[in-house]
Amino acid sequence: MNPDVTILYDTIRWEEKALLEAGKKKNINIQMVDCKKLAIDLEKKPEDYGIVIQRCVSYYRNLHSTAALEGIGVKVINCLNTGVFAGNKLFTHMLLKKFGVPTPDATVAFSKEAALQALDSQGYPKVIKPTVGSWGRLISKLNDRDAAEGIIESRENMYPIYQVHYLEEFVKRPPRDIRAIMIGDKIVAAIYRTSKHWKTNMALGGTAEPCKVTQEMEEMCIKAKHAIQGDIVGVDLMESDEKGLVVHEVNNTTEYKNTVRVCEVDIPSLMLDYALKMEK
C-alpha cells in the first residue's frame, strides 16, 4: 500500500514518534524514512512518498533532501524556501522586516575588525549568534570589548559560516520568551519558556507553561510564517520592554514536545490533518 504521509527524519525524537502514533490512531498510512539511508535517483520518476513531512535535524541534510524531493515532483512540508530562509537568522531577519514584523535590532559584520567597530559604535551588551544553528549553541552575550575580542577571534578560526558575525540587541524583557506553534494560518498552541539564564531554550534547561494567544500575537505570527513561506513552523517571540512583542526566530522543523505536554493540544494529529489537506 502506498503511503499517505512520509516522515523524513535523521534522528528519532519524541516528535517523530508522536507523529507515527497519531497516524496509527487516525488510520493514516505513514512511512518512516531515515534520511541517512536514503538515496534518490534524480533522473527517474519518484517513488510514491505521499506527502513528505520534513523532520531532519541536520540543516544541510534537511535542505538537500527537500531540494531533491521537490525537484522530482514530491510535495514537502516545509518547502525548500522555508528551510533556506528559516535556517538562517540573517535571512529570517531581513524577510521579517520586509513583511512588517517587529524584530530585535541587528547588525551583520563580515570581519573581526568590522564587528568590533560596530560594537564600539553601538555599545554593549549585544548578543552574537551564528547565522545557522539551533538549540542556543554558539550564542554568546557580549558584555564588553574584552569579551567581544575573545569570542569573535575564536570564530574567525572556525568554518566560514561562523565568520559572518550576526550581532543582535540584548532585549530587555521578562525572564522568558514565547514559542508559538503555527499550523497553516493559526497558532494551535503557545508556551512561555522561562529560565534564570538569559537563554530560555528548553534544551538548555528552560521550563514551560501555557501562554494565552492574543490577536496581536497571532497576526504577527501569520506574517512571520508567510515571510519565510512556511506551512508548519514554530515562531519565537520576546516581550521587549521598549517595543512590545518582537519575533527573533522562526523554526522550520519545530519541536513541540513541551507545548503538547503543558497545553494538552494534539499537535501531531493537527499536523497530519493539515498535511493530508495539502496533498489534495
Side-chain angles (χ1 to χ4, degrees):
M1 182 185 298
N2 293 330
D4 300 313
V5 176
T6 293
I7 309 298
L8 184 61
Y9 67 93
D10 53 8
T11 302
I12 289 284
R13 298 169 291 177
W14 184 93
E15 285 80 2
E16 288 70 49
K17 293 177 183 177
L19 282 166
L20 180 59
E21 289 303 312
K24 290 177 180 177
K25 291 177 182 177
K26 298 173 73 69
N27 201 29
I28 298 170
N29 183 20
I30 291 187
Q31 172 181 238
M32 302 292 290
V33 173
D34 185 346
C35 195
K36 297 190 297 295
K37 299 178 181 178
L38 180 64
I40 301 170
D41 190 332
L42 304 179
E43 312 305 325
K44 291 185 178 180
K45 183 179 178 180
E47 300 175 25
D48 194 338
Y49 290 94
I51 190 162
V52 173
I53 296 180
Q54 174 62 267
R55 296 295 305 173
C56 285
V57 174
S58 163
Y59 172 70
Y60 296 103
R61 196 175 284 130
N62 186 309
L63 284 189
H64 290 81
S65 60
T66 299
L69 289 167
E70 286 188 344
I72 58 174
V74 178
K75 171 67 179 179
V76 183
I77 297 176
N78 287 302
C79 71
L80 176 61
N81 282 351
T82 305
V84 172
F85 298 150
N88 185 297
K89 293 176 180 62
L90 172 61
F91 299 170
T92 299
H93 180 86
M94 302 314 301
L95 286 166
L96 291 174
K97 289 182 66 68
K98 182 178 180 180
F99 276 71
V101 179
T103 62
D105 294 342
T107 298
V108 63
F110 300 96
S111 70
K112 175 184 175 182
E113 293 73 21
L116 290 172
Q117 185 176 12
L119 288 164
D120 288 342
S121 172
Q122 296 172 9
Y124 297 88
K126 284 287 191 292
V127 177
I128 186 168
K129 299 180 175 182
T131 55
V132 175
S134 58
W135 297 329
R137 293 173 298 195
L138 291 177
I139 294 178
S140 301
K141 184 181 175 189
L142 307 177
N143 288 320
D144 53 35
R145 171 91 182 201
D146 287 344
E149 285 183 338
I151 289 171
I152 293 172
E153 176 64 33
S154 67
R155 288 170 185 251
E156 287 286 291
N157 294 296
M158 294 181 181
Y159 193 73
I161 191 67
Y162 300 114
Q163 297 169 28
V164 177
H165 305 296
Y166 183 78
L167 307 166
E168 192 174 85
E169 71 167 303
F170 182 72
V171 176
K172 295 179 181 178
R173 56 177 173 80
R176 66 188 187 189
D177 72 356
I178 298 168
R179 162 68 57 86
I181 304 297
M182 296 286 300
I183 300 179
D185 283 344
K186 180 178 176 58
I187 297 177
V188 297
I191 57 172
Y192 289 116
R193 303 186 301 182
T194 303
S195 175
K196 294 179 180 179
H197 193 272
W198 63 271
K199 294 183 186 179
T200 57
N201 304 72
M202 300 303 294
L204 299 176
T207 59
E209 60 182 291
C211 171
K212 182 179 179 181
V213 177
T214 65
Q215 183 177 349
E216 178 192 13
M217 187 192 304
E218 188 148 68
E219 290 174 355
M220 193 177 293
C221 288
I222 289 170
K223 286 183 180 179
K225 183 193 79 91
H226 285 295
I228 55 96
Q229 301 178 23
D231 285 300
I232 299 173
V233 299
V235 181
D236 293 344
L237 308 96
M238 290 185 284
E239 303 157 284
S240 168
D241 292 348
E242 299 175 353
K243 300 180 182 178
L245 284 177
V246 295
V247 174
H248 60 283
E249 194 162 342
V250 185
N251 300 273
N252 178 27
T253 53
T254 187
E255 295 175 326
Y256 50 85
K257 174 182 177 180
N258 288 291
T259 310
V260 170
R261 177 176 58 83
V262 302
C263 296
E264 298 182 343
V265 175
D266 190 355
I267 292 173
S269 289
L270 294 175
M271 289 174 64
L272 292 173
D273 290 343
Y274 181 85
L276 291 173
K277 287 179 184 177
M278 292 289 292
E279 190 178 24
K280 295 177 182 178

